[in-house]
Amino acid sequence: MDVKRSTPSYLYWLFCQFELITCSYLMEPWEKVLFYSFNLAMAGLLLYTAYVCVAFHLSSAFQLLWGFLGSPRENALSVVK
Amino acid sequence: INHIVHNGGLYKRPFNEAFEETPMLVAVLTYVGYGVLTLFGYLRDFMRQWKIEKCQNATEREEQKDFVPLYQDFENFYNRNLYMRIRDSWNRPICSVPGAKVDMMERVSYDYNWTFTYTGRVIKDIINMGSYNYLGFAQSAGACQEAAAKVLSQYGSGVCSTRQEMGNLDKHEELEELVARFLGVESAMTYGMGFATNSMNIPALVGKGCLILSDELNHASLVLGARLSGATIRIFKHNNMQSLEKLLKDAIVHGQPRTRRPWKKILILVEGIYSMEGSIVRLPEVIALKKKYKSYLYLDEAHSIGALGPSGRGVVEYFGLSPEDVDVMMGTFTKSFGAAGGYIGGKKELIDYLRTYSHSAAYATSMSPPVVEQIITSMKCIMGEDGTTIGRARVQQLAENTRYFRRRLKEMGFIIYGNEDSPVVPLMLYMPAKIGAFGREMLKRNIGVVVVGFPATPIIESRARFCLSAAHTKEMLDTALKEINEVGDLLQVKYSRRRLVPLLDRPFDETTYEETED
């Protein structure tokens, strides 16, 4: 097994493994275009969802946590707010 | 060290067989691959139906569209959408004798394997790892070829009759006497086609009211013969003696299903070497069971005759047993003898009965004379009766090649099924794209392999099957191993986790759901 391959050829090798596992190696070119565009659209949607939701989710989780660590009086005030 | 079985001293030599379990991730990814291809298959079928795409496969005519659909089942769906994509790995035309090296005609496809055109070029000297040429008798020059040419000029090539009419030549009598001596049985009979030997003779031996116990992974010819006979068929798990014993006990205790009468005959159908798994039957245990429960044994030695045993007499000699214990010894001449046809050997009464009652004897044309002469010459060579030690040397060379090849492949990290001594080596690939990729990459590197997928194997367990030969020299094997190593790294098929999987030796009961529980 050859030692350190250059990064572009390693990425190409990874892409070939992806092609073999999802059988896009066997598809005709227009099928490949369809499949990759679907995959990229799904991945893009996933990243967008992460960007929009995760930040808000984390901040509200932290608020809840710091709220429990503070005094009981503060607690009642923050709940009323 | 693999798990070694010593069942009460029945085995005189270690029995190393291993079937490594499919890694979970690989199984999941295989299903993912098949899922993607199925979705695209549905898309293509939709496009073909709505005439967006030209339909190149067989469909019903316009007038028949309202009838019961012919091509809607899974087999045809698989054929249209999955098999067509990787079809170029099969049916490759060769244009020389299929020896250790073979010439192949190059072909290309411009419409994704629906049609092929020949470029006219011949790819020379491809290392042949796919032909059933175990002892290397597929030769176009040598003693066998000269003898066959002489007989061809004497007898011609057509027989133009069945065995029972005018097709019984003196060559056939000579061959049958030789086969009987080779196997160590009283008498033998030969047929023109190996598949027909099984499918046409089992109906002559068993009928309604008899029970057939057949291994899970038996060949299509045995299954066809069993179904044609009309007997009740029960299947036992592959090479699993506990399962076979349970079925035998049930058969003896309960008898026939409705009337509870005892079965007229119980016939156990097994093969010597199973060609898709590379496993060898546990013959000592089968014979012990057969004697205990008073049933009959039909042994199909298609792949093991000539390939196993110190002098090539097959799986019976490999285990050191007596040929009288096996009631019907069947085999073919296609694999180790470089000819075509099959034989059945056994007691004289049995063979005399088959001469009269076998469908193949009554209706099928007998074997062609040059083919008979090829078998006679090669068999005499293996037995050593032609005065040379070539036969013996070839049997030993095959055993050495087998051990070396299997050891090296296991060391590289591939999952290899089967017994250590079987010359059939299945290498697991699992994923559908890797089936096509493996076949194509190996052909690019001038090595011809046979890849197998559904329906010959279970759908996720697709494999590449190597058939070793005594004609392969060590250099050829080393070249092949180097290329297999390279392709294995390229495609990432080295799945073995090098964990020793113990063979199931626990008693089999209804609570055991799967073979390997670790």
Side-chain angles (χ1 to χ4, degrees):
Chain A
M1 200 39 205
D2 55 340
V3 200
K4 213 41 165 113
R5 270 186 293 213
S6 60
T7 318
S9 82
Y10 180 65
L11 284 177
Y12 178 68
W13 180 82
L14 269 184
F15 173 67
C16 283
Q17 296 307 308
F18 170 78
E19 269 200 321
L20 280 173
I21 291 176
T22 57
C23 301
S24 48
Y25 171 83
L26 300 174
M27 294 180 195
E28 298 173 25
W30 63 270
E31 285 175 332
K32 276 194 204 185
V33 162
L34 203 63
F35 185 64
Y36 292 150
S37 53
F38 176 77
N39 275 6
L40 285 173
M42 282 290 125
L45 204 59
L46 199 72
L47 283 171
Y48 175 68
T49 316
Y51 172 70
V52 166
C53 295
V54 170
F56 172 72
H57 209 70
L58 276 177
S59 69
S60 69
F62 273 133
Q63 260 189 347
L64 200 65
L65 267 175
W66 298 138
F68 280 140
L69 284 178
S71 66
R73 248 187 88 101
E74 257 179 29
N75 236 353
L77 275 176
S78 62
V79 165
V80 161
K81 247 192 288 190
Chain B
I1 308 161
N2 283 326
H3 182 70
I4 297 177
V5 168
H6 289 295
N7 263 354
L10 282 172
Y11 289 86
K12 300 185 182 84
R13 54 188 298 163
F15 187 85
N16 294 341
E17 203 163 272
F19 298 96
E20 195 176 325
E21 205 184 338
T22 315
M24 178 63 79
L25 180 64
V26 173
V28 167
L29 291 177
T30 313
Y31 282 123
V32 163
Y34 274 113
V36 169
L37 282 177
T38 315
L39 285 175
F40 274 96
Y42 282 136
L43 175 69
R44 299 292 292 270
D45 276 348
F46 175 78
M47 287 169 53
R48 276 189 271 259
Q49 190 181 18
W50 286 94
K51 310 277 191 295
I52 307 175
E53 188 194 346
K54 185 167 87 116
C55 182
Q56 284 161 317
N57 59 300
T59 42
E60 301 103 324
R61 295 204 315 266
E62 271 308 310
E63 305 86 55
Q64 293 171 330
K65 287 280 182 199
D66 292 326
F67 291 5
V68 173
L70 286 173
Y71 302 106
Q72 239 182 33
D73 56 345
F74 180 66
E75 301 266 330
N76 284 301
F77 176 82
Y78 179 87
N79 203 31
R80 278 196 300 270
N81 299 309
L82 279 78
Y83 175 67
M84 279 299 168
R85 293 182 194 267
I86 45 177
R87 199 161 82 112
D88 57 312
S89 300
W90 291 286
N91 295 338
R92 292 186 190 145
I94 60 174
C95 45
S96 77
V97 67
K101 291 205 172 174
V102 72
D103 301 336
M104 208 180 277
M105 295 187 67
E106 198 188 16
R107 52 180 191 169
V108 287
S109 173
Y110 297 114
D111 53 357
Y112 302 102
N113 292 348
W114 286 97
T115 56
F116 291 105
T117 49
Y118 295 103
T119 58
R121 198 171 80 94
V122 169
I123 315 176
K124 291 214 165 284
D125 288 335
I126 296 181
I127 298 180
N128 188 358
M129 308 288 307
S131 289
Y132 302 133
N133 184 19
Y134 298 134
L135 292 178
F137 279 111
Q139 294 164 307
S140 55
C144 297
Q145 181 263 338
E146 282 159 24
K150 200 154 138 303
V151 164
L152 182 64
S153 57
Q154 191 185 352
Y155 286 85
S157 66
V159 184
C160 311
S161 184
T162 66
R163 271 318 274 284
Q164 285 183 355
E165 291 173 7
M166 281 273 282
N168 193 13
L169 307 174
D170 56 345
K171 280 278 165 209
H172 293 135
E173 303 281 332
E174 189 190 334
L175 173 63
E176 286 175 0
E177 191 257 335
L178 182 65
V179 168
R181 215 153 29 94
F182 181 71
L183 297 171
V185 292
E186 280 180 24
S187 169
M189 181 167 178
T190 54
Y191 304 90
M193 186 176 158
F195 189 99
T197 312
N198 269 334
S199 49
M200 298 293 119
N201 285 306
I202 298 179
L205 295 172
V206 289
K208 267 185 79 143
C210 302
L211 177 65
I212 291 183
L213 297 174
S214 142
D215 190 289
E216 209 179 8
L217 300 174
N218 267 340
H219 189 250
S221 54
L222 290 163
V223 171
L224 183 62
R227 286 180 187 172
L228 274 178
S229 66
T232 312
I233 308 175
R234 301 219 174 122
I235 316 277
F236 62 92
K237 287 184 167 272
H238 177 60
N239 235 0
N240 190 328
M241 295 300 115
Q242 287 84 10
S243 168
L244 177 60
E245 181 158 22
K246 181 174 188 302
L247 283 179
L248 278 166
K249 273 190 194 158
D250 282 343
I252 304 285
V253 164
H254 297 299
Q256 299 192 25
R258 222 176 14 91
T259 57
R260 298 294 188 213
R261 288 204 196 125
W263 294 101
K264 280 197 229 160
K265 247 182 274 188
I266 303 181
L267 185 68
I268 306 176
L269 293 181
V270 285
E271 289 187 38
I273 292 185
Y274 292 89
S275 64
M276 278 304 151
E277 311 285 310
S279 53
I280 300 182
V281 66
R282 293 172 184 268
L283 198 59
E285 292 178 64
V286 174
I287 288 185
L289 279 174
K290 161 193 111 91
K291 286 183 179 161
K292 180 173 169 187
Y293 293 99
K294 296 199 181 28
S295 51
Y296 299 100
L297 179 59
Y298 184 107
L299 178 65
D300 178 348
E301 284 201 272
H303 286 268
S304 53
I305 191 75
L308 286 182
S311 66
R313 309 280 165 125
V315 70
V316 172
E317 196 198 14
Y318 174 74
F319 285 112
L321 300 164
S322 153
E324 286 168 1
D325 288 332
V326 181
D327 302 290
V328 189
M329 288 181 71
M330 177 266 170
T332 59
F333 300 117
T334 335
K335 280 85 182 182
S336 301
F337 300 95
Y343 66 85
I344 288 197
K347 294 256 179 320
K348 193 167 180 322
E349 297 88 33
L350 173 73
I351 302 297
D352 287 341
Y353 176 82
L354 279 179
R355 280 188 215 280
T356 330
Y357 286 93
S358 160
H359 295 266
S360 198
Y363 301 112
T365 319
S366 41
M367 220 189 264
S368 178
V371 174
V372 174
E373 186 60 29
Q374 158 81 21
I375 303 168
I376 292 178
T377 323
S378 55
M379 206 175 262
K380 283 192 175 150
C381 183
I382 297 174
M383 285 161 77
E385 283 182 8
D386 61 340
T388 65
T389 51
I390 296 180
R392 195 96 195 191
R394 284 189 186 196
V395 174
Q396 277 168 359
Q397 178 70 31
L398 176 66
E400 269 175 43
N401 283 357
T402 309
R403 276 196 297 267
Y404 177 66
F405 197 74
R406 274 179 171 266
R407 182 177 59 83
R408 285 287 304 272
L409 279 181
K410 286 214 174 107
E411 276 167 14
M412 285 180 197
F414 294 101
I415 295 186
I416 307 288
Y417 273 10
N419 198 302
E420 283 295 312
D421 289 318
S422 93
V424 177
V425 185
L427 188 151
M428 304 307 289
L429 294 171
Y430 299 114
M431 299 182 199
K434 295 194 184 180
I435 309 174
F438 194 82
R440 287 174 202 162
E441 291 294 320
M442 292 303 282
L443 188 60
K444 271 192 221 165
R445 291 164 172 76
N446 256 17
I447 301 184
V449 295
V450 168
V451 287
V452 204
F454 183 81
T457 64
I459 196 155
I460 51 164
E461 288 171 23
S462 51
R463 56 202 76 174
R465 190 184 62 174
F466 301 103
C467 291
L468 296 166
S469 164
H472 286 137
T473 60
K474 194 150 178 301
E475 290 78 35
M476 280 189 224
L477 286 184
D478 283 335
T479 322
L481 282 163
K482 189 168 79 70
E483 304 296 352
I484 295 171
N485 195 12
E486 217 176 284
V487 174
D489 280 331
L490 183 68
L491 298 179
Q492 287 286 295
V493 277
K494 295 188 177 175
Y495 299 124
S496 177
R497 287 171 299 179
R498 298 179 207 267
R499 250 191 4 212
L500 304 165
V501 178
L503 285 178
L504 181 71
D505 253 15
R506 299 188 288 281
F508 170 85
D509 54 1
E510 284 91 7
T511 58
T512 312
Y513 291 115
E514 34 178 16
E515 292 272 318
T516 53
E517 288 174 338
D518 47 4

